[in-house]
Amino acid sequence: ELSQGSAAPSAEEGGEEEEEEEEREKEKEKEGEKLPPIPSASTAAAGGLEEGAKNQFSTFSNFITTINQKKEGIGNRNSPTQLVIPNVKNGRDLPPLCLDVRQKQRMSMDTLPQELKAPIPPEPSLPVRTKTVKDFQDDMEKSKASGDWKAVHNFYSTTFDSFLEINAAFKKDTNSPFNTIEDSGIDAKFVNVVYDALLNTPQDVQKSVLKGIINGLLQEWTGPRTKDDLRAYCILLQNPQFSNTSTYVIYAHLLRQIAALTEADHHFLVHWSKKISQKRFKQVVDRLLQFISLRLFPAKPEEFPPMVKCTWWIPSATKVLALFNAANSLISPPIISYTDFYNSTLDHIDLMEEYHNWQCYGNSHRFSFCQYPFIISIAAKKVIIQRDSEQQMISIARQSLVDKVSRRQKPDMNMLFLNVKVRRTHLVSDSLDELARKKADLKKKLKVTFVGEAGLDMGGLTKEWFLLLIRQIFHPDYGMFTYHKDSQCHWFSSFKCDNYSEFRLVGALMGLAVYNSITLDIRFPPCCYKKLLSPPIVPCDHNTLVGICGVTLDDLFQIMPELAHGLSELLSYEGNVEEDFYSTFQVFQEEFGVIKSYNLKPNGDKIPVTNRNRKEYVQLYVDFLLNRSIYKQFAAFYYGFHSVCASYALLLLRPEEVEILVCGSPELDMSALQRSTQYEGYQKTDLTIRYFWDVVLGFSLDLQKKLLHFATGSDRVPVGGMADLNFKISRSETSTNWLPVAHTCFNQLCLPPYKNKKELKQKLIIGISNAEGFGLE
């Protein structure tokens, strides 16, 4: 799927609005929105174009003349200054971008029934263009040397004058159809050379390209799409001129046409886009993100038409961005990181309004960024989840208060919280009992009390409870999870038992941590979070399987690399698998000292593994290890997590983002930590503090992680960055012979005033390298 939703990019702009606008444009032909707007030389240069003469875009009379000529030839209906598609005879009107209408009215040529194909005129044959990369480069060198750009100007103005000319210039073989998803037929090298040179040409050359693109866009609304049209769209999207805001009106109409294509045509564009080089792919994505950002928050609002007249700009760009996100996800590893699709500008809009619109209207024709969650940053998603959690907490607390009053009972402040009372000596059992007993209160604000201890929970006791409980549950002696040293992560024990409630407890703990914005030191592999979102919303039918997802050998590599390597060797073995390995579709596991066998498929113990069926064997083996053998354990874990975190906001998250919300980010920035650190008993200019940061900034990444783990209980960073840690360094009045001490519940480091940098470094390394266990009786 290209996105979570399929809302139409221009649902707000209906047919009536189109007709009204046409009438308005007839009345004020010269006052309408110019295409493109008339920028000054400075604004064009600032947008990325080469600085030229002041009158580079002083008027757009050439554009207007061209469009006027086209208008006269096709019926003299629309304003010459608007990129409004003329009513071409035997053609199609500009369709709305609603998905259902789009599918009915703008079918691909390949999907039309035979009887409907006859009236459509045959595709004109492509002009013959023989210019090669070397020819073009020679022309560029001659033009730079002589100052005569005529040959280059002719090439650009001809090449971009129509979609046919674009194909004639850049198609690898004009006689081949290139109708498959695997090969677009585009000469990528030639396209790159032409675009790289474009911004270094005079302004009249660049203007001729924009003029040609306008002509092409006007022509190409008149019929169903062919593969040559799709090729032209793919090439035009890579035009670097669209980084300039002065070209945004043209760019918007290009994006609108692409967004309006059928799903079948989108399918081709997605597969062709994944063949674009990483550098060019990233440039196109950045250009689309910039377009969305500047439309939302324009530096110069007068540069663009009023928002009410172009409500389709942002939905169209987002839809096209979804095509590139889909292309990116088809490649393993992806072309660029999923975080490169984040638009941090969206952090500054009313996200909750977007979220509520999405909740109310779903994936209908009303646009919301939540329909395209890949564009929303993890920081913004955390805000949505936190506010959604707060609203649920308030709602639950208010209901408790109303119930109490309706029964004429005296309200108690404790009823507004999830109060957990536990004994340190019975931490797991007490926590299990409390959470099981207070299921109805799980969505209230968490407060923890340790029995027999005087202490008010202002956040420290809650974090301590999480730290102690997680440490105890994940201890190997407890038997719930197996620690794999090679991958340094935990995985669910496959041992069968009568009660899986403790797995539900761990899931609830993870849910409470996300719900209460606590970062946990949990080492689960990425596969765990993929399973946790399978499905992201708990199904109503309790017989539906949960926590089952498609798993691969790559997933197993992240947990049991040695076993995964062995299976990989089996797949690549060149000898006779059946005779040399003598294996069947059966696996063996040790459970409490007893070896048990399991069939991977019916009668698997009688089916030998051969060269022909070894792929099936490996896939069934991986599925058994990561899905089937731990189904009951993970299902309990899944229901525990969703008992707290049940929210439509989970639909916005990728598995990697769930991991970051639970465990924090692994990327450390100690300079950012230095800037946000608070001090108690010290000033940041004190010698001891200066020694400390000199030492820490010079640490290896491994030692920096150990320091963070020592001081906070986790070596990962919250979603909001180092500033969210509220890290504090306090002066310890103990002897300088003592090691540093940390209060992980408060992210506090107690540092004696060491006399010199060498002593501080020595004591700090000893402290952070030998910090297992808590100083608690």
Side-chain angles (χ1 to χ4, degrees), residues 61-76:
S61 57
N62 290 341
F63 282 101
I64 304 307
T65 303
T66 303
I67 300 174
N68 269 326
Q69 291 169 352
K70 184 168 290 296
K71 182 191 71 171
E72 291 166 6
I74 56 180
N76 192 20

Side-chain angles (χ1 to χ4, degrees), residues 639-739:
Y639 283 118
F641 178 81
H642 287 274
S643 67
V644 183
C645 275
S647 168
Y648 283 105
L650 289 178
L651 290 169
L652 305 177
L653 297 175
R654 295 171 58 96
E656 301 93 330
E657 293 170 331
V658 177
E659 181 180 10
I660 290 173
L661 286 175
V662 172
C663 309
S665 169
E667 297 178 7
L668 304 188
D669 183 352
M670 285 303 184
S671 296
L673 183 63
Q674 181 183 10
R675 290 191 295 272
S676 62
T677 297
Q678 304 167 33
Y679 300 97
E680 188 176 85
Y682 281 119
Q683 300 291 328
K684 64 179 178 180
T685 54
D686 288 350
L687 205 54
T688 302
I689 298 301
R690 282 157 50 195
Y691 289 157
F692 174 81
W693 288 115
D694 284 348
V695 168
V696 170
L697 293 175
F699 272 168
S700 65
L701 179 61
D702 184 55
L703 283 175
Q704 288 179 346
K705 286 188 172 184
K706 285 184 176 180
L707 170 65
L708 201 63
H709 193 279
F710 174 74
T712 69
S714 172
D715 63 4
R716 296 168 75 97
V717 185
V719 172
M722 289 292 195
D724 275 11
L725 280 175
N726 296 318
F727 181 60
K728 180 187 286 187
I729 299 178
S730 300
R731 185 185 182 99
S732 174
E733 299 299 342
T734 57
S735 166
T736 54
N737 293 326
W738 282 46
L739 298 175

Side-chain angles (χ1 to χ4, degrees), residues 472-518:
Q472 191 165 330
I473 285 174
F474 282 85
H475 196 282
D477 293 344
Y478 212 73
M480 288 179 64
F481 298 94
T482 303
Y483 183 70
H484 297 272
K485 289 184 179 179
D486 291 343
S487 57
Q488 297 184 332
C489 70
H490 290 94
W491 191 242
F492 294 77
S493 170
S494 59
F495 294 166
K496 303 295 183 291
C497 59
D498 297 329
N499 189 354
Y500 296 96
S501 57
E502 290 181 341
F503 287 99
R504 190 180 180 100
L505 169 63
V506 179
L509 279 177
M510 274 182 53
L512 286 170
V514 172
Y515 205 64
N516 291 272
S517 301
I518 302 285

Side-chain angles (χ1 to χ4, degrees), residues 343-371:
N343 191 331
S344 56
T345 305
L346 302 186
D347 298 357
H348 306 288
I349 67 173
D350 190 343
L351 291 167
M352 291 313 292
E353 182 181 359
E354 289 285 321
Y355 178 66
H356 290 315
N357 284 341
W358 177 60
Q359 278 189 304
C360 294
Y361 299 100
N363 294 329
S364 67
H365 299 322
R366 181 159 180 165
F367 173 80
S368 167
F369 282 113
C370 290
Q371 294 164 334

Side-chain angles (χ1 to χ4, degrees), residues 190-256:
F190 198 7
V191 172
N192 294 342
V193 168
V194 169
Y195 277 147
D196 287 343
L198 178 58
L199 297 186
N200 296 316
T201 61
Q203 294 302 321
D204 61 334
V205 175
Q206 298 183 38
K207 188 169 70 171
S208 71
V209 172
L210 295 174
K211 173 183 172 182
I213 293 173
I214 294 172
N215 291 339
L217 293 177
L218 285 168
Q219 295 165 5
E220 292 311 316
W221 273 105
T222 60
R225 303 301 87 198
T226 67
K227 298 302 175 286
D228 282 344
D229 294 336
L230 301 185
R231 250 182 297 280
Y233 285 134
C234 195
I235 291 167
L236 289 177
L237 274 173
Q238 301 176 58
N239 188 339
Q241 289 179 294
F242 292 136
S243 295
N244 188 337
T245 55
S246 67
T247 66
Y248 272 15
V249 175
I250 307 173
Y251 192 30
H253 282 83
L254 170 64
L255 298 176
R256 186 185 195 186

Side-chain angles (χ1 to χ4, degrees), residues 384-400:
I384 292 174
I385 290 171
Q386 281 183 329
R387 291 184 183 172
D388 188 51
S389 300
E390 288 167 3
Q391 289 173 1
Q392 290 187 47
M393 287 179 182
I394 292 169
S395 177
I396 296 291
R398 183 186 292 123
Q399 188 60 48
S400 296

